[in-house]
Amino acid sequence: MNPIIRAEEVTKKFSDNETVLNGVNLSVTSHTFNAILGASGSGKTTLLNIMSGLLKPTTGRIYYRETEITSLDNERMSYLKRNEISTIFQDYLLLPNLTVAENIRIGIAQDRSSLPFREVIALLGIEDILDKFPSQLSGGQQQRTSIARAIIKKPAVLFCDEATGALDEGNSKRVVKLLHEVKKQYGITVIFVTHNLKIADTAERIITMKDGLVHKDQWNEAPISADEMSWGP
């Protein structure tokens, strides 16, 4: 099966000449849930930002399907991000002056069929908060709203940058469970950056970053369910 996202010899140096990525090669298969693990400074978030088009690599190439996205101009890259890929961040990034319903609707793609609004909010269990503003929501409700906004356009790839990092154990389990349901129900490829080993244990594939390289890459033969995750020892 052809990969949906492919990184070839990707490096990244920042303005202070700090090297974060050292020539990463990685291919991600469609319709899979992938966890990228690594300690702080390992390069995992930088890799995710480059693969999702938020950053340009210093050298190397990123391919989405057969298109080299590292060579796209701003207009074509914006089109790709608006219609084909989505990102969920730890900080939610909801617009404070818009209601939940309005925040979700701004994620609807302009040039392709989106998922039914009512179906998305039912899946995420947020039917009763549609008229509320972000400041009136709990952290878990804000994150579920941000997930709804990200998936309503039915992206091919959903990037998650520490998407549960600001949540407690109960809400973290719920969000991870919902992301697995999104992948299963809509065929969305999930790439989830985390430092949490328990979350990684739910993934079909676990990719471990170290010193700016893929240190370990393995298929998980026995993923656990989100309900089985425990933050205890």
Side-chain angles (χ1 to χ4, degrees), residues 116-231:
F117 180 83
R118 291 291 166 187
E119 182 177 308
V120 170
I121 63 171
L123 174 66
L124 292 162
I126 53 177
E127 303 99 320
D128 59 338
I129 62 170
L130 294 178
D131 294 328
K132 292 187 176 182
F133 291 91
S135 62
Q136 299 172 299
L137 306 178
S138 68
Q141 289 171 329
Q142 290 187 65
Q143 190 60 297
R144 281 182 279 145
T145 301
S146 72
I147 293 171
R149 180 183 59 190
I151 70 169
I152 195 165
K153 66 185 176 188
K154 197 179 180 181
V157 184
L158 180 62
F159 294 95
C160 305
D161 184 11
E162 297 281 7
T164 62
L167 303 178
D168 59 22
E169 179 176 348
N171 277 311
S172 293
K173 286 183 177 181
R174 183 168 190 177
V175 166
V176 173
K177 187 173 184 177
L178 286 169
L179 291 172
H180 277 282
E181 185 61 31
V182 163
K183 174 255 174 184
K184 179 181 178 181
Q185 189 161 326
Y186 302 127
I188 296 173
T189 303
V190 177
I191 302 175
F192 195 114
V193 162
T194 183
H195 64 276
N196 190 315
L197 293 172
K198 296 296 184 182
I199 293 175
D201 283 341
T202 73
E204 295 162 87
R205 184 182 180 192
I206 303 172
I207 301 151
T208 304
M209 299 284 296
K210 183 179 179 182
D211 299 329
L213 288 167
V214 174
H215 177 67
K216 192 174 182 180
D217 185 354
Q218 62 185 24
W219 289 96
N220 187 1
E221 296 182 359
I224 65 173
S225 71
D227 291 328
E228 292 177 285
M229 293 192 305
S230 173
W231 275 212

